[in-house]
């Protein structure tokens, strides 16, 4: 699918074009099916990749992308995060994982990634590229070119479990960035009772349940720490830590990413 076709589902003021979205979503689902059949069961991603999937329980074409993320999330080299947005709630079902913060983050990427639009399912790769989230072939292709782009995933980072803390050592690199931790629910099931996915039992992997700021990084080697009590909660059982640059408050390139063992 060409990137121009995704604009048919773009956020247009306070509402979205639902008819055009349904057509584009069918194409995205087909692309995912073809891509999945074409790929072997072996490791799919040659380079490390950090993927944020913007999705919604109220989006009829999102389940294909949610399933794809589940298939690739535990692969070597992949750190994957599901972020549910709230702008499909008007169709009659309030997404149980959505937050205005996720929606604002997606809108922010539309300002910092060239040619980006706000649509679902959308996969943002290393903070520097985006594709239809159900298109495996595009994910694989963009992951190759997004590695190292603008310094993506180029900064060394290690995370150590020490007593009641996590110790994060960030190496030297270029620019400035913020270090943060996202609390993650490794697996969740939702039965949708209303809206476009009525009656469906949807499965989700690595669901983002809250972001915790850790500190700022200015390009030099620096050590950070966070209490383990802040890394998980009643709604989460793991974490993802990212070092990410921001442009005028909008998310940009992800310079480093690490995850807990169960994510």
């Amino acid at each position: 699918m060409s990137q121009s076709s995704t604009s048919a589902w773009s956020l247009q003021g306070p509402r979205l074009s639902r008819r055009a979205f349904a057509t584009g979503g069918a194409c995205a689902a087909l692309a995912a099916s073809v891509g999945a059949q074409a790929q072997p069961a072996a490791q799919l991603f040659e380079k490390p990749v950090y993927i944020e999937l913007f999705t919604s329980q109220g989006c009829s074409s999102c389940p294909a992308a949610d399933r794809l993320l589940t298939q690739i999330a535990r692969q070597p080299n992949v750190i994957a995060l599901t972020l549910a947005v709230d702008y499909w709630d008007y169709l009659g079902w309030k997404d149980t994982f959505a937050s205005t913060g996720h929606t604002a983050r997606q809108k922010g990427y539309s300002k910092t990634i060239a040619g980006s639009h706000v649509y679902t399912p959308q996969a943002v790769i290393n903070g520097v590229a985006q594709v239809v989230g159900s298109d495996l072939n595009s994910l694989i292709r963009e992951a190759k070119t997004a590695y190292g782009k603008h310094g993506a995933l180029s900064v060394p980072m290690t995370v150590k479990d020490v007593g009641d803390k996590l110790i994060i050592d960030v190496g030297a690199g270029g620019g400035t960035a913020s270090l943060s931790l996202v609390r993650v629910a490794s697996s969740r099931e939702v039965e949708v009772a209303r809206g476009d996915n009525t009656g469906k039992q949807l499965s989700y992997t690595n669901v983002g349940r809250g972001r915790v700021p850790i500190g700022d990084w200015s390009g030099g080697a620096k050590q950070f720490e966070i209490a383990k009590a802040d890394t998980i909660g009643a709604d989460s059982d793991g974490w993802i830590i990212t070092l990410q640059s921001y442009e005028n408050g909008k998310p940009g390139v992800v310079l480093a990413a690490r995850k807990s063992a169960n994510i």
Side-chain angles (χ1 to χ4, degrees):
M1 173 180 291
S2 68
Q3 290 301 319
S4 61
S5 63
T6 63
S7 64
W9 327 334
S10 298
L11 194 61
Q12 299 172 349
R15 297 180 64 85
L16 294 131
S17 174
R18 187 177 177 190
R19 185 191 314 177
F21 181 94
T23 303
C27 294
L30 176 60
S33 175
V34 172
Q37 293 173 9
Q39 297 300 326
Q43 180 174 321
L44 297 174
F45 295 88
E46 298 175 2
K47 302 288 187 179
V49 62
Y50 175 64
I51 299 169
E52 292 172 88
L53 176 65
F54 292 95
T55 184
S56 172
Q57 295 164 17
C59 157
S60 61
S61 60
C62 284
D66 302 325
R67 290 191 296 270
L68 178 58
L69 191 82
T70 296
Q71 293 169 10
I72 67 175
R74 311 293 189 237
Q75 287 221 339
N77 288 336
V78 176
I79 299 178
L81 178 64
T82 295
L83 296 176
V85 297
D86 61 0
Y87 49 78
W88 285 112
D89 289 359
Y90 81 94
L91 293 179
W93 175 256
K94 184 175 175 59
D95 191 300
T96 58
F97 302 135
S99 77
T100 56
H102 296 164
T103 301
R105 184 172 178 81
Q106 186 187 27
K107 289 180 179 178
Y109 277 129
S110 74
K111 305 298 183 182
T112 58
I113 298 176
S116 182
H117 307 281
V118 176
Y119 63 92
T120 56
Q122 181 182 42
V124 171
I125 304 168
N126 299 348
V128 298
Q130 59 84 35
V131 299
V132 175
S134 53
D135 188 339
L136 178 58
N137 285 334
S138 291
L139 270 171
I140 294 171
R141 182 183 65 250
E142 290 298 327
K144 290 180 181 179
T145 60
Y147 181 76
K149 186 176 182 180
H150 306 311
L153 304 185
S154 65
V155 176
M157 183 167 72
T158 61
V159 181
K160 298 177 182 177
D161 188 326
V162 181
D164 61 352
K165 302 175 182 177
L166 294 180
I167 304 298
I168 305 127
D169 286 298
V170 180
T176 60
S178 295
L179 188 71
S180 65
L181 177 145
V182 178
R183 294 193 303 270
V184 176
S186 59
S187 181
R188 289 292 185 270
E189 301 283 332
V190 177
E191 184 174 349
V192 179
R194 294 181 299 279
D196 281 4
N197 287 319
T198 298
K200 292 183 179 180
Q201 185 81 18
L202 304 180
S203 298
Y204 294 93
T205 298
N206 295 358
V207 181
R209 304 304 291 144
R211 188 175 297 271
V212 182
I214 299 175
D216 295 324
W217 176 81
S218 57
K222 186 175 180 180
Q223 186 173 90
F224 301 83
E225 65 180 48
I226 183 171
K228 285 185 185 176
D230 294 331
T231 67
I232 59 173
D235 59 353
S236 59
D237 55 3
W239 49 261
I240 291 174
I241 295 174
T242 57
L243 181 71
Q244 184 169 31
S245 67
Y246 283 77
E247 303 174 23
N248 299 317
K250 306 292 192 299
V253 58
V254 177
L255 298 171
R258 297 292 184 271
K259 64 179 180 178
S260 58
N262 61 322
I263 298 302

